[in-house]
C-alpha cells in the first residue's frame, strides 16, 4: 500500500486516497475533494480498492 492508492478504511467507514505516510500513520483524503483528511494509525484496517496505477489509468481513459 502506498501514496496514491485508493483505500477503504474500516474504522472511518469511508473510501479515500492515501496522500501521505508519516511515521507509520497514513494520511487519507476523500476521493473527490482535497479537504477533510483523516489518519489511520496502521494499514491493518485499510483495504486497497484501486492501486495508484489503476486509478490513474481509469482517469486517463475517462478523460480526466
Amino acid at each position: 500500500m502506498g501514496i496514491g492508492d485508493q483505500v477503504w478504511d474500516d474504522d472511518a467507514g469511508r473510501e479515500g486516497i492515501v496522500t501521505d505516510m508519516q511515521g507509520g500513520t497514513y494520511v487519507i483524503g476523500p476521493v473527490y475533494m482535497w479537504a477533510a483528511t483523516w489518519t489511520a494509525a496502521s494499514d491493518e484496517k485499510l483495504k486497497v480498492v484501486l492501486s495508484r496505477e489503476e486509478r490513474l489509468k481509469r482517469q486517463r481513459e475517462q478523460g480526466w
Side-chain angles (χ1 to χ4, degrees):
M1 181 171 325
I3 293 174
D5 288 346
Q6 189 168 330
V7 297
W8 174 260
D9 183 344
D10 282 338
D11 283 343
R14 58 185 174 162
E15 200 168 302
I17 297 172
V18 177
T19 61
D20 197 5
M21 292 185 293
Q22 301 171 351
T25 299
Y26 292 79
V27 179
I28 305 167
V31 175
Y32 298 108
M33 65 179 126
W34 291 104
T37 62
W38 70 94
T39 59
S42 73
D43 63 357
E44 287 180 14
K45 295 191 178 180
L46 299 177
K47 296 177 187 140
V48 176
V49 175
L50 286 173
S51 69
R52 178 181 184 275
E53 292 80 16
E54 289 180 59
R55 195 171 53 78
L56 294 175
K57 179 182 175 188
R58 283 189 184 182
Q59 286 177 347
R60 282 192 299 273
E61 289 171 352
Q62 294 174 357
W64 290 18

